[in-house]
Amino acid sequence: MPGTTRSSANHVSHHGRTPRVSTRLLVLGLLFVITAVIYAGRGSLSITGDHMAADLGFSTVQLGYVFSAFGWSYVLGQLPGGILLDRFGARGVYTASIVLWTFATAAISLVGLLTTPVLVALAAVFLLRLLLGAFETPALPANARVVTMWFPTAERGWATAVFTSAQYLATAMFAPLMGWITHEFGWRWVFVLLGACGAVLAAIWTRWMRSPTRHPRVSPGELARMESGGALTGLDDPLTRLGETAERSRTTEESVPAAADSAGRSSTSTGGTEPRPARLDRWTVRLILSARPLWGVYVTQYAINALTYFFITWLPVYLVRARGLSLLETGFTAAIPALSGLLGGLLGGWVSDLLIRRGYSLTVARKTPSIIGMSLVLLLVTCTLTDSTGLILVILAIAFFGKGLGALGWAITTDIAPPRAASFVGGTMNAVGNAAGIVTPVVIGYTLSVTGSFDAALWFVGAHGLLALCGFGIMGEIRRIRLEAR
């Protein structure tokens, strides 16, 4: 393999020694922090919602529509967001996303500063949340793209679990902070804080982030290890570089145990026979969308995101209205299921990668923790059978531990997506999954308006665990989609 190392060195500037902490771990840490702030922004209304509604005069149903606004534009923007990522790469598109997200978030603090009719304030908040959803569309597909570039297959499940678990840390860290800020200074200052965080992260990302082949901190040894394990290091580079990476992958894939899926085909290849970009014509799109594993991912991701949107929209309201907690108590209490979800997410990714390293197929490795986790989610419905707040918190903690354990949708997506249409596949998956962000808040809002109780809402949310299990059945064998030449 000496030729591989020399070729890698031609594309990497380094300092003549291997860094103590691998660069890909620092990249993952940056993704984790950015994702945590993004999810804090998504969930900010769950903490500030009651105060904002009282201040601006929103009804329960109107608040439900405000909660759902993010989902409408987020879903519609996934396909163009994925195409932009495939066309321009993660660095520039992600930078624009963070900057625009920052402005949309901070602007919410200005709504209603002057005396404003209720419908005007409602329209303003709804519009800003629409913009927030549109600007965030490239974020998670970009995360998946970056992980695909920087991590071998046998590390990708854990890496994906790390950035997806940031949603739980966002609640654990930011919910108490946002509750305290809202209580002490008012809801507007929450959005000022989030805007400031976004501005700092945009500056760090722009200054430090590069592709693996162009990052000055990456040593030839680290680059060779990534490429030999199946990392698509040239994904954001010119086509000649991707061709070199594909050739090395074909040479080395047989020596990597994780490279073979259950059908004996490589799942770590950079594209092998398809080093050029996939043309997103009608034939290519039809071929991608006809893949059975992708439809299984669609169903499971929708179910998982329904749980996420309940968590970041109505759960704090449930704790205040149904359990009688104060806003400050809610902020700290919501951290309990959030930390459980974080633990489950990290454990699920670790177990999945461990199974791959021990020779199990991708199908077994990805589905085992997922099925166990989604089975635990079904416990949510038992919250309707008790009046004990302590027991309800235990149930919520177990259910969200299960949600974290089973949330491997992004890892599966990186396993099945063809290299040059990776962001398109990630975008469509994220669009279908985040349709739950439209449906879940509105359905719960109407349910509360009609019944005055959260019981039906909890049954509705808990049933999504069963839907996720159905999705894993639809998924069948997990294998990479091949775009064979016509």
Side-chain angles (χ1 to χ4, degrees), residues 28 38 86 203 297 316 325 399 401 413 424 435 482:
L28 185 60
I38 285 173
D86 282 329
V297 174
L325 301 183
F401 172 84
T413 300
F424 169 77
R482 299 291 180 183

Side-chain angles (χ1 to χ4, degrees), residues 48-387:
T48 62
D50 265 354
H51 281 242
M52 176 188 289
D55 189 17
L56 301 179
F58 299 163
S59 68
T60 299
V61 171
Q62 288 172 332
L63 186 60
Y65 275 105
V66 169
F67 280 154
S68 76
F70 174 92
W72 290 96
S73 55
Y74 192 69
V75 167
L76 294 175
Q78 286 303 313
L79 182 56
I83 293 173
L84 286 174
L85 283 167
D86 282 329
R87 176 66 179 85
F88 298 107
R91 182 173 178 264
V93 175
Y94 214 162
T95 299
S97 173
I98 298 172
V99 170
L100 293 171
W101 173 91
T102 296
F103 282 112
T105 300
I108 294 176
S109 66
L110 303 177
V111 176
L113 279 177
L114 302 175
T115 302
T116 307
V118 172
L119 291 181
V120 174
L122 178 66
V125 176
F126 191 88
L127 175 61
L128 288 171
R129 293 291 290 188
L130 281 175
L131 291 174
L132 184 64
F135 297 150
E136 273 191 29
T137 51
L140 291 185
N143 284 359
R145 187 180 183 89
V146 171
V147 165
T148 303
M149 287 190 290
W150 283 86
F151 286 86
T153 300
E155 299 177 8
R156 204 173 289 157
W158 176 79
T160 304
V162 167
F163 80 70
T164 55
S165 295
Q167 62 183 280
Y168 307 111
L169 186 68
T171 300
M173 287 184 56
F174 283 92
L177 178 60
M178 291 189 294
W180 176 75
I181 290 174
T182 302
H183 182 268
E184 294 294 327
F185 305 105
W187 60 269
R188 300 179 189 280
W189 287 99
V190 168
F191 298 99
V192 174
L193 170 67
L194 291 171
C197 290
V200 172
L201 289 174
I204 294 173
W205 175 269
T206 304
R207 181 174 178 80
W208 192 78
M209 189 62 189
R210 299 292 186 275
S211 72
T213 60
R214 298 171 183 273
H215 202 292
R217 196 178 184 277
V218 177
S219 68
E222 183 178 8
L223 185 66
R225 177 178 176 179
M226 289 188 289
E227 290 181 343
S228 66
L232 311 186
T233 56
L235 194 56
D236 277 356
D237 290 351
L239 300 187
T240 54
R241 173 62 188 159
L242 180 64
E244 294 173 14
T245 308
E247 181 61 34
R248 280 195 295 277
S249 178
R250 288 195 297 271
T251 303
T252 61
E253 65 187 13
E254 293 181 359
S255 64
V256 183
D261 63 16
S262 56
R265 290 178 291 268
S266 168
S267 60
T268 63
S269 170
T270 60
T273 60
E274 47 178 0
R276 293 181 299 175
R279 289 169 49 210
L280 291 179
D281 55 19
R282 186 178 304 174
W283 177 85
T284 302
V285 171
R286 184 168 61 247
L287 182 62
I288 291 173
L289 296 182
S290 66
R292 175 179 169 181
L294 185 58
W295 283 95
V297 174
Y298 286 163
V299 174
T300 57
Q301 200 67 9
Y302 176 89
I304 289 169
N305 279 347
L307 299 162
T308 299
Y309 280 100
F310 168 70
F311 187 74
I312 65 175
T313 56
W314 285 108
L315 177 61
V317 179
Y318 165 69
L319 294 174
V320 171
R321 295 187 184 181
R323 308 316 315 164
L325 301 183
S326 69
L327 181 62
L328 282 176
E329 290 172 332
T330 295
F332 286 98
T333 301
I336 296 173
L339 290 173
S340 297
L342 174 63
L343 177 62
L346 296 177
L347 182 62
W350 179 80
V351 167
S352 180
D353 285 348
L354 178 65
L355 291 173
I356 289 177
R357 289 194 293 271
R358 292 192 173 180
Y360 290 91
S361 69
L362 274 174
T363 303
V364 172
R366 299 304 190 217
K367 283 189 176 182
T368 299
S370 298
I371 290 173
I372 294 172
M374 290 301 107
S375 298
L376 293 176
V377 165
L378 296 173
L379 292 174
L380 268 177
V381 300
T382 62
C383 288
T384 63
L385 305 178
T386 179
D387 288 327

